[in-house]
Amino acid sequence: MNLSNAYARVRQYTSLAAGALGLSSGRAAAGPLHAQIGIADPCNHKCVMCWDHPATDHASDATLDRFAQMKPGMMCFDTFRGIVTDLHDLGTRRVDIVGRGEPLLNADAARMVAFARRTGMLVTLCTNASKLSREIADGFVEVGLDRMNVSLNAGTPQTYPLIHVTETPENYLSVKSNLRYLADRRAQAGKKAPYVKLSFVVGARNAHEVEQMVSVTHEVGADAAMFIHTTIHDGTRDLALTREQHNRLLESVPRARDLADRHGVATNLATFAATVPTYLQEKITGPPIVPCYVGWYFTVILGNGSVMPCCQCSKPVDRISEDKTFADIWSSEEYRKFRTEARSLPDSKEFKWSCECDRCMLRPRNITVHNMLNPHNRIEGGDDEQLFTGRDLFRMRKVDRS
């Protein structure tokens, strides 16, 4: 690590600690540890579990909230360049090109990755890979994209359309072919990047394919497979596993882990099996809403320019425009208010940011930050909750290759 990056990290963690302890009046002295930039709000797939682009109209009213009551947008290169430059100047050294749509729909996606890498950012791209061409794959290897996370969600061509309902078995085979090309191209170049991880959101339609999901990860030359329990909403109750299905899933995990070990595929299967889906839990141990420190370590920018304080919020702090940069918004009074109110959760009476705090994906991280800085006022997260450690927090700005 060079001195510039070391100084940036010290600034970030000092800012996080001061903010979490209430010493900064809600103002961040440095940028977030990492940022999600959605360069494309639209998506060419409709997945059954997706709340942003649902397969049915079950979320039609709520979907608009996901884009800050604005039309989904496509980020231009100049806006992206300004955001990344601001983030770098603020000390951020990691950006995830992921949002509420498919990033490769943006014609400038490869150019954006290249620019972010030139600034010294660690870059992760999250995609369904349907638009991954050989030309794009060549470019990603050449510029050194650090990581690519691919939402595949099926172990066989037949199951793929049951999840990605606009797609066909042939589309699945095409995605596999292009991923294999990327792996081969990477090997030919003698490089280890991009590190490719396939993501599988598991529910009632694909829970029987865990072993096949490991196999396909190996077949396409990917490095890792990530398994995630689906989040159930009002319109997706049919995706919930019954207890019998969950038991059968658990029975398949040891076989899948053995297969992964034989193929050299990294997985999170141990953690996945130990985590009970929230919809099968009778209660959450500990308070469902905890003090939130997300405003110091994370931010989300949508393709339409909306700056969201968290990935589970529907109201933006503000919007980037010709007259307002990300740096302006990050240091604004509006962001200060958000940080102050979020820190006072669950006691805050003024917290009106339309955030799903009662089912927060960042809850383990917030508990970890709180407990590290408040050892005499700890929050118990529950035995079934995989809490972050201090080491995890220090790796947040890195590309996690464990």
Side-chain angles (χ1 to χ4, degrees):
M1 181 188 300
N2 61 40
L3 290 177
S4 174
N5 286 347
Y7 174 67
R9 179 184 286 192
V10 170
R11 280 180 61 199
Q12 288 174 308
Y13 285 106
T14 301
S15 175
L16 171 59
L21 291 171
L23 304 178
S24 66
S25 300
R27 300 196 181 280
L33 291 170
H34 79 278
Q36 285 187 357
I37 306 176
I39 62 174
D41 292 335
C43 188
N44 58 331
H45 283 198
K46 288 184 177 293
C47 297
V48 290
M49 66 287 190
C50 181
W51 201 246
D52 299 323
H53 305 279
T56 66
D57 62 356
H58 70 262
S60 57
D61 293 335
T63 298
L64 190 60
D65 285 342
R66 298 291 293 162
F67 299 97
Q69 295 296 317
M70 287 183 65
K71 180 180 178 181
M74 194 74 70
M75 186 175 291
C76 70
F77 179 78
D78 287 345
T79 297
F80 179 85
R81 178 172 55 192
I83 293 168
V84 171
T85 300
D86 279 354
L87 286 166
H88 189 272
D89 290 346
L90 288 165
T92 304
R93 292 296 182 269
R94 171 182 162 183
V95 294
D96 298 346
I97 300 179
V98 53
R100 296 175 180 177
E102 169 51 45
L104 293 185
L105 291 179
N106 191 314
D108 284 322
R111 185 183 175 200
M112 291 171 170
V113 168
F115 175 79
R117 287 292 298 125
R118 285 198 302 272
T119 67
M121 290 287 190
L122 290 160
V123 183
T124 296
L125 176 79
C126 297
T127 173
N128 60 36
S130 62
K131 297 296 183 181
L132 178 66
S133 65
R134 294 191 171 194
E135 180 182 1
I136 292 175
D138 289 340
F140 285 164
V141 172
E142 181 180 353
V143 303
L145 171 65
D146 293 284
R147 188 182 200 114
M148 188 168 75
N149 296 342
V150 179
S151 180
L152 196 60
N153 304 312
T156 64
Q158 294 73 31
T159 298
Y160 192 63
L162 301 180
I163 310 297
H164 301 247
V165 299
T166 53
E167 304 307 296
T168 65
E170 290 71 27
N171 295 139
Y172 180 82
L173 296 176
S174 177
V175 170
K176 284 184 61 178
S177 175
N178 287 327
L179 289 173
R180 184 69 251 181
Y181 176 84
L182 174 64
D184 292 341
R185 181 69 184 84
R186 183 181 66 175
Q188 291 166 5
K191 297 183 178 181
K192 295 183 178 181
Y195 182 90
V196 179
K197 179 167 66 178
L198 304 189
S199 173
F200 301 97
V201 178
V202 177
R205 299 189 186 188
N206 60 0
H208 60 288
E209 290 191 344
V210 171
E211 291 172 76
Q212 291 94 325
M213 291 170 182
V214 171
S215 293
V216 76
T217 303
H218 171 65
E219 289 169 15
V220 302
D223 302 280
M226 172 69 71
F227 297 87
I228 310 159
H229 288 294
T230 190
T231 299
I232 302 301
H233 297 283
D234 289 341
T236 61
R237 299 294 176 188
D238 62 313
L239 301 181
L241 297 172
T242 64
R243 293 201 175 272
E244 181 180 356
Q245 288 173 318
H246 185 244
N247 289 337
R248 288 201 297 269
L249 169 65
L250 294 180
E251 290 172 0
S252 73
V253 167
R255 298 191 298 272
R257 292 184 67 187
D258 288 342
L259 186 62
D261 289 342
R262 291 201 300 272
H263 289 320
V265 172
T267 76
N268 69 327
L269 280 167
T271 298
F272 175 72
T275 305
V276 180
T278 55
Y279 55 82
L280 289 179
Q281 297 179 33
E282 294 182 1
K283 64 178 181 178
I284 297 177
T285 304
I289 299 177
V290 300
C292 174
Y293 309 104
V294 69
W296 282 278
Y297 63 74
F298 183 55
T299 193
V300 177
I301 303 106
L302 303 186
N304 61 25
S306 298
V307 177
M308 315 297 289
C310 175
C311 52
Q312 293 185 227
C313 294
S314 61
K315 182 177 179 180
V317 179
D318 209 328
R319 294 184 176 92
I320 294 170
S321 65
E322 292 183 0
D323 301 320
K324 191 171 294 184
T325 67
F326 173 79
D328 294 333
I329 296 171
W330 183 252
S331 62
S332 68
E333 179 66 14
E334 289 81 5
Y335 228 132
R336 187 197 68 78
K337 288 180 180 178
F338 170 81
R339 296 185 187 103
T340 301
E341 293 178 14
R343 180 181 173 275
S344 66
L345 286 172
D347 297 329
S348 175
K349 306 300 182 184
E350 301 298 326
F351 198 77
K352 301 175 181 177
W353 290 78
S354 304
C355 299
E356 297 177 326
C357 298
D358 58 335
R359 51 186 180 189
C360 179
M361 295 172 60
L362 297 174
R363 167 185 155 92
R365 189 169 290 170
N366 285 321
I367 292 176
T368 298
V369 171
H370 181 89
N371 289 347
M372 288 178 64
L373 298 174
N374 298 274
H376 302 297
N377 184 28
R378 295 176 57 84
I379 297 172
E380 296 302 322
D383 294 337
D384 60 337
E385 185 156 23
Q386 299 296 315
L387 297 182
F388 286 76
T389 65
R391 181 169 176 263
D392 293 324
L393 287 170
F394 275 91
R395 283 180 4 195
M396 279 171 57
R397 64 170 293 278
K398 296 183 179 180
V399 175
D400 178 6
R401 291 183 176 166
S402 64

